[in-house]
Amino acid sequence: MGAMSVDMSVELGGLKLSNPVLLASGTCGYGLELTPFLDLRRVGGVVVKGISLEPRDGNPPPRLAETPCGLLNSIGLENVGAERFLSSRLPQLLATGATVIVNILGSSAEEYAAIAARLRDAEGISALEVNISCPNVKAGGVAFGQDPRAAAQVVEAVRKEWGRTLIVKLSPNVTDVTEIARAVEAAGADAVSLINTLLGMAIDVEQRRPVLANTFGGLSGPAIRPVAVRMVWQTVRAVKIPVIGIGGIASARDALEFLLAGASAVQVGTATLADPGAAARIVEGIEEYMARHSITSVSGLAIGQVPGRRAGARFVWRLQ
Amino acid sequence: MGAMSVDMSVELGGLKLSNPVLLASGTCGYGLELTPFLDLRRVGGVVVKGISLEPRDGNPPPRLAETPCGLLNSIGLENVGAERFLSSRLPQLLATGATVIVNILGSSAEEYAAIAARLRDAEGISALEVNISCPNVKAGGVAFGQDPRAAAQVVEAVRKEWGRTLIVKLSPNVTDVTEIARAVEAAGADAVSLINTLLGMAIDVEQRRPVLANTFGGLSGPAIRPVAVRMVWQTVRAVKIPVIGIGGIASARDALEFLLAGASAVQVGTATLADPGAAARIVEGIEEYMARHSITSVSGLAIGQVPGRRAGARFVWRLQ
Amino acid sequence: MGRTSVSARVVENRPIAPGIYRMGIEAPWADGLVMPGQFCMLQAACPGSSDPLLKRPLSVHDAEDGVAWFLYRVVGKGTGLLARLVKGDMVAAVGPLGQPFPSLAGRRVVFVAGGMGVAPLPLLARRRRVMKVLLGARREEELAVLDVLDLPGIEVEIATEDGSVGHKGLVTDLLPPFLEGGVEAVFTCGPMPMMREVSRMCGARGTACWASLEAAMACGSGLCMGCAVRKAGGGYLHVCSDGPVVDAAVIAWG
Amino acid sequence: MGRTSVSARVVENRPIAPGIYRMGIEAPWADGLVMPGQFCMLQAACPGSSDPLLKRPLSVHDAEDGVAWFLYRVVGKGTGLLARLVKGDMVAAVGPLGQPFPSLAGRRVVFVAGGMGVAPLPLLARRRRVMKVLLGARREEELAVLDVLDLPGIEVEIATEDGSVGHKGLVTDLLPPFLEGGVEAVFTCGPMPMMREVSRMCGARGTACWASLEAAMACGSGLCMGCAVRKAGGGYLHVCSDGPVVDAAVIAWG
Ligand SMILES: Cc1cc2nc3c(=O)[nH]c(=O)nc-3n(C[C@H](O)[C@H](O)[C@H](O)COP(=O)(O)OP(=O)(O)OC[C@H]3O[C@@H](n4cnc5c(N)ncnc54)[C@H](O)[C@@H]3O)c2cc1C
Ligand SMILES: Cc1cc2nc3c(=O)[nH]c(=O)nc-3n(C[C@H](O)[C@H](O)[C@H](O)COP(=O)(O)OP(=O)(O)OC[C@H]3O[C@@H](n4cnc5c(N)ncnc54)[C@H](O)[C@@H]3O)c2cc1C
Ligand SMILES: Cc1cc2nc3c(=O)[nH]c(=O)nc-3n(C[C@H](O)[C@H](O)[C@H](O)COP(=O)(O)O)c2cc1C
Ligand SMILES: Cc1cc2nc3c(=O)[nH]c(=O)nc-3n(C[C@H](O)[C@H](O)[C@H](O)COP(=O)(O)O)c2cc1C
Ligand code: FES
Ligand code: FES
């Protein structure tokens, strides 16, 4: 860091973070697995693996396939369930001094609300991140995140049970992500985070079958970064609540793309799998960049003053 | 090639091709630029750069940005217009012996129909590929390809003017690509091709502005292949017309992912930019694979018998 | 546990048989902290490139004098880029990771290996008591690695499918005498069908069996839950953190 | 035009100044077919990896005895990976591409260069008549490349912004005497602001001016229309196929 001191703290819908770099859900386990490599107090916060009311086994293997600059996963939301998370994982994680955000999932609005209610009484959870990329069993399996009304219903249900910071994590597998962002903003979200994974698949041409047992998987990693930056740019210009940028961030430069696009914070996902210390490097690199560009606070990074909020999808005019 | 002889020919909605490997629109110029590197008779066909009724200048530079395993472009549909294409480009291209498919674009259904009518009288055009990723000026700039009704209107209008093979090229920037595919099938398309580019953007963090003058660009290349394979897999299972797979194909292995997913043919795009001879290598590699796996015809490549046509988007159950 | 994520210098990397390389990297943990059966996630450093994206798991082959050794077959792009490294190049390494072979002090152990399953043997032989190695291969050429294996005082019995060397047949044909002779545990590492059969044979005799599993991995550190293998009683275990070496009885071998 | 897409062997690749390399590759077209000002698209072969995805344009620096030479500055990942190549490694190369400097038989030409704009000079000097090179740099260190430039019989006049060598100021300060002295054409290669000024000065005197342009490129072969530069009369030209060397008068210098 230069001689200049930079203020890395950010505020996200009532939640103060020491810096804007969070660990993304599903790529940092329950946080503890990372402690040999990373002091969890050096990142802004840890978003733990998606938790459901009951434990889930997850999908059969194979669950992973590497693709060019990307990773397909179909973990299938394996998790220890709310009870075991609260009794055995959370206390240890809090003991590290980490800021804890819990990613939650369900298959009905009621189930989401029930988890929020169960987590409410636990001390030390700073925020919930509601993963609405899950299939809505009542609506025949289409993800909540692909339908603005279903998304809003989940958020309203959780909002009733949860007074602290409420982040909603958006799916990129939609025609217009700003439509969903506006719907969850209206339903009471304090912030939105995006993007979750792009739906993809890979085929093993020698075995002549899909690589993943689940056929489809979620694509993450540097490959998806241009799509994520675009969606964050559009969403920042479509809602008033803070936006957390996610997707293919592996270096400070990558994180800065999102912060310059107007994101208030970022999450590092797949990069942590490839290099468990990635997030700490990114924090340092952002500090160094800010000092070099004489930018004293993270909120000063966004390009220009974000103008009047317009719907993002309409920007697209002439490609190719 | 092995001792076994393989039948590489395919039929696409009435059009016979010598092999299933086409050159994708916008990445092979008007075909002629490639002749120093590639005998155009060695590929199944050449899909020329998108042609509009009038010439178009395209977008201001910068128009290109490389991203991890991907390319963002915002060429802005620059093209010489239908007249000059017919008078100066087409005759030379036909002289090479290539099978010619013309990609067309417009900003209203009427404009699409007018180009089809203009091209109808030209001899030697084997098929039209209708690019519906263009903004619909009448509907406020949302792309035709993002709305099943607008897409169907374009296809109906073109169908009236064009009796030969009609391919519709689908945009991946939608919640459910099979919905659009079914709409254009019902409107009279002979085949669909997918995917066009994913909407993305990149930011130059040192200059602190979007890299592309147009802010947004279309993402192509290996990065998008998992998304493309998934959409092709879903679409093959949702429509009865042939599906042409496109997206990140750089090797025979990559092309085979699409053919195994059920595509009847493939297009090679960005790979030709990186290596002008890519498509010929891919044709050879597919032949070699077929011989090795004792598969005698391209139509025998698809995994399993494609079962009863179901809507694809519902397959997705539990990711991550 | 001493696991680290570092950029390490290559001290040697050379082909020892067609498509098989032996590589040594500087590793501060090599002298004591690593246990036999553990692995590292490795990647050839390629500045600025993110393809390949993830590190690849390789068993620790041997470890001494501050150098960790790996024995690997070139399979695809990750191992292909490792094979291009020369002395002095850098490799990104996370490790040592995972659960090792158990320490059965004083016990008589047979190691049943197939193909690259021999990789963890030298370190195992150095740190644990192995009385015998049973090694299976399809052809003689696959045995080339044996020449470089440093297995002091350990006898190797061989089975080849074509009978070119040793017993003609499967390596598992060699196991019954040992099971009958009262060996106290069997360790196994190799292809799944082989390990399944070893596990079945041990189970039938009530002999303890430890298998070193393989699964596609992203992190190798318990972060992603990607490396699932089905458990006998239902549910999954994670090869990178519950294994790679597991009690064979807990696995649903399928 | 003899353009080819091949995998070529590196015959030499070494740093000649901090961050600047000179690389020779085997090229059958090097002896006659290539013209000064043309370029190649180059990429370090990295089997199986598609990051970086595209080749990078580099001017042909010199060409003789079946070897094409390039002089390049390490800027990012594409040039960074080129810099790691050693003799015998393979490089993927497409070329020679683009429009060369015109052949003005017998004419007196001044070449105005900034920074890496000197790259095409040796081949130009070998094949065309250049009477004088005016070279601009910010600091003395940037002139290190001069030591390896083989420019038989051509005088070089230097301007540095800090005055450490030659004229203190901009390289364009050195041009007026030549324009007034009736030079018949000016060739220029370097940063856009410099070329814009050279073009303006030539335009004002009616002297022919040819500029070697730069633009981000994907294909280098006229396939993608990505390398657009605005024309004076509206519309765009494509640097890779209409250039890189263009009549400076046709450009909207902006
Ligand atoms: C715990 C463990 C220890 C191992 N130890 C050794 C060893 O000592 N020596 C050795 O030669 N090999 C070992 N392997 C296998 C080795 O990891 C793979 O051969 C390697 O990952 C192939 O990578 P690639 O990029 O070259 O091949 P690709 O086929 O291009 O790899 C594509 C993807 O598949 C995965 N993959 C491919 N083959 C395997 C495999 N057999 N097991 C797990 N993932 C695979 C890769 O990790 C990668 O994500 C071990 C595997 C595990 C899980
Ligand atoms: C016709 C032509 C001839 C050239 N000749 C030379 C030469 O002889 N010597 C030399 O040192 N450089 C030359 N350049 C510039 C050289 O192409 C770039 O420095 C190089 O592409 C940078 O790639 P990178 O991956 O190292 O950098 P990165 O910054 O990582 O590249 C990212 C992207 O930006 C593009 N890019 C970056 N800088 C430039 C640039 N200045 N011009 C065009 N595209 C750029 C790259 O091609 C790539 O697509 C030439 C450029 C052109 C167009
Ligand atoms: C293995 C894996 C598991 C994931 N699990 C979850 C999850 O449980 N909940 C969730 O909201 N997102 C999950 N994600 C998505 C990531 O949090 C992140 O949104 C996505 O990977 C894009 O970021 P990246 O490119 O940095 O990885 C998972 C991603 C991966 C790779
Ligand atoms: C530079 C460029 C220009 C393109 N122009 C067109 C076009 O004019 N019409 C069209 O339908 N698609 C166009 N495309 C999309 C490609 O045809 C193809 O659908 C897409 O790039 C995905 O394939 P790829 O990953 O193999 O490139 C263009 C793509 C690129 C990279
Ligand atoms: S590989 Fe990530 S948990 Fe095992
Ligand atoms: S770089 Fe593709 S047309 Fe010029």
Side-chain angles (χ1 to χ4, degrees):
Chain A
M1 232 195 310
M4 203 179 90
S5 107
V6 297
D7 178 11
M8 289 284 279
S9 71
V10 293
E11 213 235 74
L12 278 183
L15 173 63
K16 271 246 171 209
L17 301 176
S18 62
N19 70 57
V21 181
L22 309 172
L23 300 176
S25 181
T27 61
C28 57
Y30 298 104
L32 304 165
E33 298 82 351
L34 266 179
T35 52
F37 308 107
L38 190 70
D39 178 347
L40 296 177
R41 289 166 304 185
R42 298 200 46 203
V43 294
V46 177
V47 187
V48 296
K49 175 71 188 165
I51 302 289
S52 51
L53 208 47
E54 301 301 326
R56 282 181 187 237
D57 281 351
N59 285 333
R63 294 179 172 183
L64 297 171
E66 190 176 312
T67 64
C69 296
L71 170 65
L72 282 169
N73 88 81
S74 61
I75 308 299
L77 304 170
E78 173 177 348
N79 76 92
V80 296
E83 293 312 322
R84 242 167 81 204
F85 171 69
L86 289 174
S87 63
S88 75
R89 302 301 198 278
L90 182 62
Q92 289 181 60
L93 177 51
L94 289 171
T96 66
T99 297
V100 177
I101 298 174
V102 179
N103 182 279
I104 64 170
L105 59 101
S107 41
S108 66
E110 297 73 39
E111 200 181 328
Y112 278 99
I115 310 164
R118 184 67 193 83
L119 297 176
R120 186 179 48 205
D121 303 325
E123 259 174 67
I125 300 178
S126 296
L128 290 191
E129 180 181 62
V130 182
N131 176 5
I132 55 172
S133 304
C134 310
N136 179 347
V137 288
K138 296 207 179 147
V142 168
F144 289 100
Q146 292 181 311
D147 173 4
R149 290 181 48 154
Q153 275 161 21
V154 168
V155 176
E156 278 160 20
V158 173
R159 184 78 286 179
K160 289 206 188 94
E161 306 295 339
W162 184 260
R164 276 163 269 170
T165 303
L166 177 55
I167 304 164
V168 180
K169 182 155 176 189
L170 306 181
S171 164
N173 301 299
V174 294
T175 306
D176 180 2
V177 74
T178 66
E179 186 190 6
I180 315 283
R182 287 192 305 266
V184 302
E185 176 182 41
D190 296 315
V192 287
S193 56
L194 65 161
I195 61 175
N196 211 314
T197 53
L198 284 169
L199 190 61
M201 77 179 280
I203 291 177
D204 184 326
V205 303
E206 294 303 326
Q207 307 284 330
R208 308 191 74 223
R209 61 166 183 244
V211 177
L212 301 175
N214 186 52
T215 305
F216 300 125
L219 182 65
S220 63
I224 69 170
R225 198 171 63 232
V227 175
V229 173
R230 181 265 295 182
M231 289 191 171
V232 165
W233 174 280
Q234 290 177 319
T235 303
V236 163
R237 285 153 183 76
V239 297
K240 294 193 187 65
I241 53 178
V243 174
I244 304 171
I246 321 174
I249 297 174
S251 69
R253 196 214 66 85
D254 303 342
L256 285 159
E257 274 198 272
F258 289 88
L259 297 170
L260 268 67
S264 302
V266 296
Q267 293 182 14
V268 177
T270 302
T272 299
L273 305 179
D275 169 6
R281 270 195 296 103
I282 292 170
V283 173
E284 273 170 39
I286 296 173
E287 285 171 347
E288 184 272 321
Y289 174 95
M290 286 172 59
R292 186 155 48 82
H293 285 259
S294 305
I295 296 167
T296 48
S297 87
V298 175
S299 55
L301 282 168
I303 295 174
Q305 301 308 325
V306 174
R309 311 286 179 158
R310 287 166 291 160
R314 303 292 139 92
F315 280 146
V316 186
W317 38 306
R318 294 184 297 163
L319 297 182
Q320 295 156 357
Chain B
M1 233 195 308
M4 203 179 90
S5 108
V6 297
D7 178 10
M8 289 284 279
S9 72
V10 293
E11 213 236 73
L12 277 182
L15 173 62
K16 272 244 172 210
L17 301 175
S18 62
N19 70 56
V21 181
L22 310 170
L23 300 175
S25 180
T27 60
C28 57
Y30 299 104
L32 304 164
E33 297 83 350
L34 266 180
T35 52
F37 308 108
L38 189 70
D39 178 348
L40 297 178
R41 289 166 306 184
R42 299 200 47 204
V43 294
V46 177
V47 188
V48 298
K49 176 72 190 164
I51 302 288
S52 50
L53 209 47
E54 301 300 326
R56 284 180 186 238
D57 282 351
N59 285 333
R63 292 178 174 185
L64 297 172
E66 190 177 311
T67 65
C69 295
L71 171 65
L72 283 168
N73 88 80
S74 61
I75 309 300
L77 304 170
E78 171 174 351
N79 78 92
V80 297
E83 293 313 322
R84 242 166 81 205
F85 171 70
L86 289 174
S87 63
S88 75
R89 301 301 198 279
L90 182 61
Q92 290 182 60
L93 177 52
L94 289 171
T96 66
T99 297
V100 177
I101 299 174
V102 180
N103 181 281
I104 64 168
L105 59 104
S107 41
S108 66
E110 297 74 40
E111 199 179 329
Y112 277 99
I115 309 163
R118 185 68 195 79
L119 297 176
R120 187 178 48 206
D121 304 325
E123 259 173 69
I125 299 179
S126 297
L128 290 191
E129 181 181 62
V130 182
N131 176 5
I132 55 170
S133 305
C134 310
N136 179 347
V137 289
K138 296 207 177 146
V142 168
F144 290 101
Q146 292 181 311
D147 172 5
R149 291 180 49 150
Q153 276 162 21
V154 168
V155 176
E156 278 160 20
V158 172
R159 184 78 285 178
K160 289 206 187 93
E161 306 294 339
W162 184 260
R164 277 163 270 170
T165 303
L166 176 56
I167 303 164
V168 180
K169 182 155 176 189
L170 306 181
S171 163
N173 301 298
V174 294
T175 306
D176 181 3
V177 74
T178 66
E179 185 190 6
I180 315 284
R182 287 192 305 266
V184 302
E185 175 181 42
D190 295 316
V192 287
S193 57
L194 65 157
I195 60 177
N196 211 314
T197 52
L198 282 170
L199 189 62
M201 77 177 282
I203 291 177
D204 183 327
V205 304
E206 294 304 325
Q207 307 283 329
R208 308 192 73 223
R209 61 168 183 242
V211 177
L212 301 175
N214 186 52
T215 304
F216 300 125
L219 183 65
S220 64
I224 70 170
R225 198 173 62 233
V227 174
V229 173
R230 182 264 297 186
M231 289 191 170
V232 166
W233 174 280
Q234 291 178 318
T235 303
V236 163
R237 283 151 184 79
V239 297
K240 295 194 186 61
I241 53 178
V243 174
I244 303 171
I246 321 173
I249 297 174
S251 69
R253 196 213 66 85
D254 303 342
L256 284 159
E257 275 198 271
F258 289 87
L259 297 170
L260 268 67
S264 303
V266 296
Q267 293 182 15
V268 178
T270 303
T272 299
L273 306 179
D275 169 6
R281 269 195 296 105
I282 291 170
V283 173
E284 274 170 39
I286 295 173
E287 285 171 348
E288 184 271 322
Y289 173 95
M290 287 171 59
R292 185 153 49 82
H293 286 257
S294 306
I295 296 167
T296 48
S297 89
V298 175
S299 54
L301 282 168
I303 294 176
Q305 300 308 324
V306 174
R309 311 287 179 158
R310 286 167 289 160
R314 303 294 137 93
F315 280 147
V316 187
W317 36 308
R318 295 184 296 163
L319 297 180
Q320 293 158 358
Chain C
M1 284 196 288
R3 39 175 73 177
T4 57
S5 173
V6 294
S7 179
R9 194 169 299 279
V10 173
V11 299
E12 188 183 310
N13 187 33
R14 58 188 192 79
I16 57 143
I20 298 180
Y21 286 70
R22 191 163 173 276
M23 175 171 71
I25 67 170
E26 284 175 6
W29 43 261
D31 286 304
L33 291 167
V34 61
M35 288 174 288
Q38 287 194 303
F39 67 100
C40 285
M41 299 294 291
L42 294 176
Q43 185 174 38
C46 198
S49 174
S50 36
D51 183 27
L53 181 63
L54 300 167
K55 298 186 170 65
R56 301 296 189 244
L58 292 182
S59 301
V60 179
H61 173 60
D62 204 350
E64 57 170 337
D65 302 335
V67 175
W69 294 91
F70 302 90
L71 184 74
Y72 61 98
R73 182 191 297 282
V74 173
V75 170
K77 64 184 169 182
T79 49
L81 290 172
L82 285 178
R84 288 159 51 112
L85 294 173
V86 297
K87 183 178 170 163
D89 282 348
M90 301 308 283
V91 71
V94 176
L97 300 166
Q99 305 304 324
F101 286 104
S103 171
L104 306 168
R107 303 237 176 147
R108 290 148 37 93
V109 170
V110 170
F111 191 96
V112 185
M116 292 306 294
V118 297
L121 258 179
L123 183 62
L124 184 69
R126 197 186 284 282
R127 303 275 179 89
R128 304 270 192 273
R129 299 188 70 174
V130 176
M131 63 182 276
K132 193 89 179 190
V133 170
L134 308 180
L135 173 59
R138 264 162 311 184
R139 287 174 299 280
E140 185 176 356
E141 301 88 80
E142 289 186 15
L143 298 169
V145 287
L146 268 186
D147 301 344
V148 298
L149 288 191
D150 179 20
L151 301 174
I154 297 178
E155 252 179 86
V156 180
E157 255 180 70
I158 292 171
T160 52
E161 288 179 30
D162 65 0
S164 49
V165 184
H167 169 75
K168 179 177 162 106
L170 298 177
V171 65
T172 44
D173 300 343
L174 305 176
L175 188 56
F178 296 92
L179 292 177
E180 282 148 27
V183 70
E184 282 158 294
V186 173
F187 290 176
T188 183
C189 185
M192 285 297 266
M194 182 200 83
M195 295 200 293
R196 182 199 302 128
E197 180 59 11
V198 171
S199 169
R200 196 196 56 74
M201 292 168 74
C202 291
R205 297 244 358 155
T207 307
C209 176
W210 301 83
S212 181
L213 303 178
E214 274 192 21
M217 290 186 179
C219 68
S221 318
L223 303 171
C224 71
M225 309 195 186
C227 56
V229 167
R230 199 182 286 277
K231 284 192 287 193
Y236 299 97
L237 54 72
H238 300 114
V239 173
C240 73
S241 41
D242 301 317
V245 181
V246 296
D247 178 346
V250 307
I251 301 300
W253 289 98
Chain D
M1 281 197 289
R3 39 175 74 176
T4 57
S5 173
V6 294
S7 181
R9 195 169 298 280
V10 173
V11 300
E12 188 184 308
N13 188 32
R14 57 187 191 80
I16 57 142
I20 298 179
Y21 286 71
R22 191 164 174 275
M23 175 171 71
I25 67 170
E26 283 174 7
W29 43 261
D31 287 304
L33 290 167
V34 59
M35 289 175 287
Q38 286 193 303
F39 67 100
C40 285
M41 299 294 289
L42 295 175
Q43 184 174 39
C46 199
S49 173
S50 37
D51 182 28
L53 182 65
L54 301 166
K55 297 186 170 65
R56 303 294 189 244
L58 292 182
S59 302
V60 179
H61 172 61
D62 205 350
E64 57 170 340
D65 301 334
V67 175
W69 294 91
F70 302 90
L71 184 74
Y72 62 97
R73 182 190 296 281
V74 174
V75 169
K77 64 184 170 184
T79 49
L81 290 172
L82 285 178
R84 288 159 50 113
L85 294 172
V86 297
K87 182 175 171 166
D89 283 347
M90 302 307 283
V91 71
V94 176
L97 300 165
Q99 306 304 323
F101 286 104
S103 172
L104 306 167
R107 304 239 176 145
R108 290 148 37 93
V109 170
V110 170
F111 190 96
V112 185
M116 292 305 296
V118 296
L121 259 178
L123 183 63
L124 184 68
R126 196 185 286 280
R127 303 274 180 91
R128 304 271 191 271
R129 300 189 69 175
V130 176
M131 63 181 277
K132 192 89 181 189
V133 171
L134 308 180
L135 173 58
R138 264 164 309 184
R139 286 175 301 280
E140 186 175 357
E141 301 87 80
E142 292 185 11
L143 298 169
V145 288
L146 268 185
D147 301 343
V148 299
L149 288 190
D150 179 22
L151 302 174
I154 298 178
E155 254 181 83
V156 181
E157 255 180 71
I158 290 170
T160 51
E161 287 180 32
D162 65 0
S164 49
V165 184
H167 169 75
K168 179 179 162 106
L170 298 176
V171 65
T172 43
D173 299 343
L174 305 176
L175 187 55
F178 296 92
L179 292 177
E180 282 147 27
V183 71
E184 281 158 296
V186 174
F187 290 177
T188 183
C189 185
M192 284 298 264
M194 181 201 84
M195 295 200 292
R196 182 199 303 129
E197 179 61 11
V198 171
S199 170
R200 196 195 56 74
M201 290 168 76
C202 292
R205 295 241 5 150
T207 307
C209 176
W210 301 83
S212 179
L213 303 179
E214 274 190 23
M217 289 186 179
C219 69
S221 317
L223 303 171
C224 71
M225 310 195 185
C227 56
V229 166
R230 200 182 287 277
K231 284 194 286 196
Y236 299 98
L237 54 72
H238 300 116
V239 172
C240 73
S241 42
D242 300 319
V245 180
V246 296
D247 177 346
V250 307
I251 301 301
W253 288 99

